[in-house]
Amino acid sequence: MSDLQILSKLTVGGQEYSNRLVLAPLTRARCTPSDDPFDPASRIPNDVMGDYYEQRASAGLVITEATAISEEGYGWRNAPGIYTDEHVAGWKKIVDRVHAKNGKIFIQLWHMGRQAHSSFHPKTNRTVSASNIPMVGTVKTIDMEEVEPEVPHALTLDEVKAVIEDYVAAANRAEEAGFDGVEIHAANGYLVDQFLQSASNVRTDEYGGSKEGRIKLLKDIVEGMIASGYPAEKIAFRMSPNGAFSGMGTEDNFEMFTYVAKEMNKYNLAYLHVMDGLGFSYHGKCKAVTCADIRKHYDGIIMCNVGLTKEIAEGMVRSGAADLVCFGRLYISNPDLVERFANDWPLADMPAYETWYRPMGGKGYTDFPTYEEEQQGQV
């Protein structure tokens, strides 16, 4: 019997997780591809995605890939949504397969904001954000062309309220699909993060300016979900205080994100997912925020992420800095990561980068054997 703390059980929001390993939300773009980028099937979860999540269901928690809450929040071809009945039906099949393996599964709720291109949104022909500040880098059109980022439309107060309603509706659809909870994607420079950070939010109304203003969208989303009857203990959120992707990061991030932890501590949520590792980029504009820093302000369950190894993850749990440990890249080629850690089996090599995001069906996605299958020659 392994004495690894990361393999011990943990109760989260009244639900018992069999271990503390978490499958990270990884955008893999495996919905059914079509020549027509607006084909609804290209946004509906499918059977090969069910294979992927079922294979990794021994994790204490599975978090789905980022999933669009609305048409305007969508901006990644062949990524799934959660805003139609067809999306719900597709996800329900996957949730049922994970549950049949005694797994737990949350859905990550996503609005890309200014990182989406207007070509995805023919009804409005725009992309949106907290303010009319374009992202840094390039953006992909619906035809997969790399282009310069657009100046986003700054959401009006009425439009902000509509976005909140979209998040609440998505949580309720997630409940209908049978998910064990939802994770609000407030990281990596997407819409909620665009409101949190002063690099992208220069609003002068109630959703901007001070820390209290910039956190308001996140709070209003959580409070809206709770008011709709969705339990607080099934709501989580993710933040990336150190990341520079798409032009994020400011001098006040340390103060802002420790404040976020302190304020969100009041809601008794499922967990706080902190991308505290620096492997996903580091803006370097202030002191890096660590899970140990967050722990000083947040009493609930903390999940750490980015660049973890078995040893680092074990140290994070034993130190008390984190309760859950999230693995992304290791899980791509090691669907049995829990079993490999438990038995000290070697890890499979990392797959080629070009297989990570392309709509290639099961190739580079569900074709990685478990260690036992390897030994039995079932490769």
Side-chain angles (χ1 to χ4, degrees):
M1 189 75 177
S2 174
D3 63 352
L4 288 172
Q5 289 298 303
I6 58 175
L7 298 180
S8 64
K9 294 180 180 180
L10 181 69
T11 299
V12 180
Q15 303 180 71
E16 185 177 83
Y17 294 3
S18 60
N19 57 75
R20 295 165 185 255
L21 269 67
V22 179
L23 169 64
L26 299 171
T27 296
R28 304 300 303 278
R30 302 296 170 135
C31 289
T32 306
S34 172
D35 291 336
D36 176 7
F38 294 103
D39 183 346
S42 68
R43 304 182 185 187
I44 298 173
N46 57 26
D47 289 341
V48 71
M49 292 166 62
D51 294 340
Y52 170 81
Y53 289 114
E54 182 181 22
Q55 288 172 349
R56 291 155 180 80
S58 65
L61 176 65
V62 167
I63 308 176
T64 73
E65 62 216 271
T67 302
I69 62 164
S70 65
E71 209 169 304
E72 190 158 70
Y74 192 91
W76 194 296
R77 196 161 169 177
N78 301 306
I82 186 68
Y83 53 89
T84 72
D85 291 343
E86 291 75 21
H87 297 156
V88 172
W91 277 122
K92 188 176 189 310
K93 293 177 183 177
I94 294 173
V95 170
D96 288 347
R97 290 176 67 174
V98 172
H99 285 165
K101 294 287 187 177
N102 298 315
K104 298 286 190 294
I105 182 168
F106 274 42
I107 185 172
Q108 188 184 69
L109 302 181
W110 192 30
H111 191 305
M112 291 185 67
R114 68 181 187 177
Q115 288 195 44
H117 189 266
S118 63
S119 57
F120 282 92
H121 313 138
K123 291 181 181 178
T124 61
N125 195 34
R126 70 183 189 183
T127 186
V128 302
S129 186
S131 301
N132 57 357
I133 302 171
M135 63 170 275
V136 175
T138 59
V139 64
K140 284 186 178 178
T141 70
I142 199 165
D143 295 318
M144 305 300 287
E145 296 176 5
E146 294 269 354
V147 298
E148 291 297 310
E150 301 168 296
V151 176
H153 164 74
L155 291 166
T156 66
L157 288 176
D158 285 344
E159 290 167 343
V160 169
K161 290 182 171 38
V163 167
I164 294 166
E165 290 171 2
D166 287 337
Y167 271 100
V168 173
N172 289 314
R173 287 188 178 277
E175 180 87 349
E176 187 180 345
F179 281 102
D180 298 298
V182 301
E183 179 182 284
I184 300 163
H185 199 343
N188 297 353
Y190 295 118
L191 184 67
V192 179
D193 199 20
Q194 290 162 31
F195 272 79
L196 287 173
Q197 296 201 39
S198 54
S200 46
N201 185 346
V202 294
R203 300 174 72 100
T204 57
D205 62 14
E206 61 196 274
Y207 287 96
S210 65
K211 295 192 294 290
E212 292 81 3
R214 284 182 278 138
I215 198 177
K216 183 171 169 54
L217 176 61
L218 177 59
K219 281 186 167 184
D220 284 356
I221 291 169
V222 169
E223 291 176 7
M225 289 178 178
I226 295 170
S228 77
Y230 198 82
E233 60 268 21
K234 295 175 69 173
I235 302 169
F237 74 101
R238 185 193 211 194
M239 66 184 195
S240 56
N242 303 319
F245 183 69
S246 79
M248 303 309 288
T250 51
E251 291 76 7
D252 67 350
N253 269 27
F254 188 89
E255 290 76 17
M256 179 61 192
F257 283 97
T258 50
Y259 170 79
V260 170
K262 180 181 177 182
E263 287 298 301
M264 300 309 291
N265 188 51
K266 301 172 183 177
Y267 293 98
N268 296 315
L269 303 178
Y271 62 80
L272 166 51
H273 183 171
V274 187
M275 298 183 71
D276 67 324
L278 305 182
F280 193 65
S281 75
Y282 173 39
H283 55 74
K285 296 180 179 178
C286 67
K287 175 185 174 183
V289 179
T290 68
C291 281
D293 296 318
I294 297 302
R295 176 61 77 198
K296 297 173 184 176
H297 305 277
Y298 194 82
D299 300 323
I301 301 294
I302 293 176
M303 180 189 301
C304 61
N305 193 354
V306 184
L308 295 178
T309 63
K310 178 174 72 173
E311 293 74 20
I312 293 173
E314 180 71 5
M316 292 292 285
V317 171
R318 286 185 179 271
S319 72
D323 307 284
L324 293 166
V325 289
C326 198
F327 292 89
R329 295 180 184 182
L330 287 185
Y331 252 122
I332 293 176
S333 54
N334 296 279
D336 57 336
L337 189 63
V338 171
E339 292 76 16
R340 289 182 189 248
F341 282 177
N343 295 285
D344 204 24
W345 292 335
L347 299 178
D349 293 335
M350 188 70 62
Y353 178 78
E354 58 265 22
T355 68
W356 291 9
Y357 304 111
R358 294 183 181 178
M360 301 170 65
K363 184 178 180 182
Y365 187 54
T366 60
D367 54 358
F368 298 103
T370 65
Y371 179 76
E372 290 182 315
E373 288 170 344
E374 285 177 349
Q375 299 310 299
Q376 295 165 9
Q378 299 176 20
V379 180

